[in-house]
């Protein structure tokens, strides 16, 4: 294929997504910013156009927590574009509070936005991805999934849809952690399912990126304080955005699929079942290993089936 790719990036109005949109634009790609608030995103679109000298920066409305909005986005996208080369699932909900919230489809908001939404969007865009000769899907995961090194930790498959309303101790942090593990399970499963079409599916483990002032305003006061401290140590969003571009456009990653990459551009490998102390430390502190849980076929199949059921029946 030619050099220019058609790139859809969700949540492209702030943070890593915005920075990545800039970078894709500067490389001359056609960028579709998929954002829920068009009013505030319009300014970002304009800024990217001017700074990159690239006029092919589109802005389409997408609320990733709403199946109707995802369907609407995909219909509009398919009418406007003949194929899709790169799909970056960057948008996420992570308010880290204890407030239980439901999506318009009556699904717990974290899972609706971070897992079921991306699944539905990918399946609706599948035919367009098949038309690309170098289609790549990228999921933004998180080092929060390290909690799954605890062998007792699992996704509460029976409770992620919306049954947690009256459960004591409900926390968005916990749902966020599960939703990001779910995304890794989907990455591995989708890579196998889509191999026959030549579509590559990978994920990036994000350890941290400085949060902007706007992003800090979205989280609860407690998390804002923690995030301000983290910001002193976290790298700027450019670091992760550059890896998005690398994974989605470089020749080095052209044949890569079903992989989780870390912030050093290394492919991560699965951890071990019964680690000795040294290995336990390596798993928890380092970025070379991901939890064994993610590699278990049974978990991948369960997540895939749940996504199919939820996305097709609401
Ligand atoms: N920053 C970190 O330290 C860190 C660490 C690990 C993983 N990550 C992951 O990295 C990705 C980017 O995060 P970030 O740090 O760049 O945060 P951010 O600046 O808040 O960006 C998140 C983006 O997602 C969008 N979004 C949220 N809910 C949406 C919805 N329902 N529909 C459409 N868009 C929605 C936001 O739009 P609005 O502006 O309208 O809210 C925003 O554009 C996320 O997947 C996050 O989980 C980040």
């Amino acid at each position: 294929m030619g050099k220019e790719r058609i790139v859809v990036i969700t949540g492209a109005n702030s943070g890593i997504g915005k920075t990545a949109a800039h970078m894709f634009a500067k490389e001359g790609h056609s960028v579709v910013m998929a954002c829920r608030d068009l009013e505030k995103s319009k300014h970002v679109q304009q800024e990217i156009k001017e700074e990159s000298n690239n006029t092919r920066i589109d802005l389409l409305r997408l609320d990733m927590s709403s199946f109707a909005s995802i369907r609407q986005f995909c219909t509009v996208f398919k009418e406007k574009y003949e194929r899709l080369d790169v799909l970056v699932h960057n948008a996420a909900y992570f308010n880290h509070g204890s407030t239980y919230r439901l999506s318009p489809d009556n699904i717990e908001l974290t899972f609706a936005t971070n897992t079921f939404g991306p699944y539905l969007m990918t399946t609706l865009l599948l035919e367009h991805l098949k038309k690309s000769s170098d289609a790549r899907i990228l999921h933004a995961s998180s080092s929060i999934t390290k909690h799954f090194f605890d062998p007792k930790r699992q996704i509460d498959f029976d409770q992620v849809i919306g049954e947690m309303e009256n459960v004591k101790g409900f926390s968005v942090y916990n749902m966020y952690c599960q939703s990001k593990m779910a995304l890794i399970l989907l990455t591995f499963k989708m890579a196998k399912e889509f191999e026959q079409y030549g579509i590559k599916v990978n994920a990036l483990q994000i350890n941290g990126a400085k949060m902007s002032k706007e992003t800090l305003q979205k989280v609860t006061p407690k998390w804002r304080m923690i995030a301000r401290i983290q910001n002193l140590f976290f790298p700027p969003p450019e670091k992760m955005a550059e890896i998005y571009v690398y994974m989605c456009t470089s020749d080095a990653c052209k044949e890569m699929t079903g992989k989780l990459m870390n912030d050093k551009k290394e492919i991560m490998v699965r951890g071990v079942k019964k680690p000795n102390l040294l290995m336990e430390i390596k798993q928890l502190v380092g970025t070379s290993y991901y939890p064994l849980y993610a590699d278990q076929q049974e978990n991948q199949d369960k997540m895939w089936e749940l996504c199919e059921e939820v996305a097709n029946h609401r």
Side-chain angles (χ1 to χ4, degrees), residues 44-180:
V44 179
Q45 177 194 25
Q46 195 51 33
E47 185 188 311
I48 295 178
K49 276 185 181 174
E50 283 165 16
E51 285 183 16
S52 63
N53 226 349
N54 181 343
T55 52
R56 295 176 319 285
I57 313 301
D58 202 352
L59 172 63
L60 298 180
R61 194 180 132 63
L62 170 78
D63 177 351
M64 193 52 122
S65 70
S66 155
F67 289 167
S69 174
I70 293 169
R71 291 193 176 100
Q72 174 72 13
F73 171 91
C74 293
T75 304
V76 175
F77 176 83
K78 287 190 274 192
E79 276 167 9
K80 283 183 92 169
Y81 296 87
E82 60 181 23
R83 62 165 207 281
L84 174 58
D85 302 307
V86 173
L87 174 56
V88 184
H89 283 301
N90 164 78
Y93 173 70
F94 54 96
N95 271 20
H96 290 178
S98 54
T99 314
Y100 175 90
R101 289 175 66 191
L102 284 175
S103 74
D105 305 286
N106 281 328
I107 298 168
E108 192 283 321
L109 192 60
T110 328
F111 252 81
T113 312
N114 301 357
T115 308
F116 297 124
Y119 168 86
L120 177 64
M121 185 166 169
T122 297
T123 55
L124 292 175
L125 294 174
L126 192 59
E127 291 308 313
H128 260 51
L129 285 160
K130 284 185 198 170
K131 290 181 191 158
S132 168
S133 58
D134 184 11
R136 306 191 202 185
I137 300 170
L138 176 62
H139 290 139
S141 190
S142 164
S143 52
I144 198 173
T145 53
K146 284 184 181 191
H147 284 292
F148 280 80
F149 280 121
D150 173 355
K152 292 198 279 306
R153 193 73 186 223
Q154 21 190 312
I155 292 178
D156 300 324
F157 286 98
D158 298 332
Q159 300 200 310
V160 295
I161 300 176
E163 302 85 344
M164 299 283 281
E165 183 159 15
N166 299 313
V167 173
K168 207 166 161 247
F170 169 84
S171 91
V172 178
Y173 179 85
N174 182 23
M175 293 309 272
Y176 177 70
C177 172
Q178 292 193 49
S179 71
K180 290 294 184 182

Side-chain angles (χ1 to χ4, degrees), residues 10-18 34-37 40-41 62-66 89-94 109 113-114 140-144 176 180 183 204-212 214-216 218 230-231 234 237 244:
T10 66
N13 59 290
S14 99
I16 304 170
K18 171 182 167 181
C35 304
R36 60 178 161 180
D37 184 334
K40 73 176 175 191
S41 305
L62 170 78
D63 177 351
M64 193 52 122
S65 70
S66 155
H89 283 301
N90 164 78
Y93 173 70
F94 54 96
L109 192 60
T113 312
N114 301 357
S141 190
S142 164
S143 52
I144 198 173
Y176 177 70
K180 290 294 184 182
L183 214 47
L204 173 64
Q205 173 167 297
I206 299 174
N207 290 340
K210 262 189 216 320
M211 288 189 193
S212 65
E214 310 91 75
T215 305
L216 285 171
K218 292 181 212 168
Q230 286 178 330
N231 267 359
F234 279 170
Y244 280 14

Side-chain angles (χ1 to χ4, degrees), residues 18-29 237-239 241-243 245:
K18 171 182 167 181
T19 313
H22 263 278
M23 289 180 176
F24 282 117
K26 276 190 189 142
E27 291 205 351
H29 301 299
E238 280 76 6
K239 178 166 179 184
E242 194 269 320
I243 307 180
V245 177

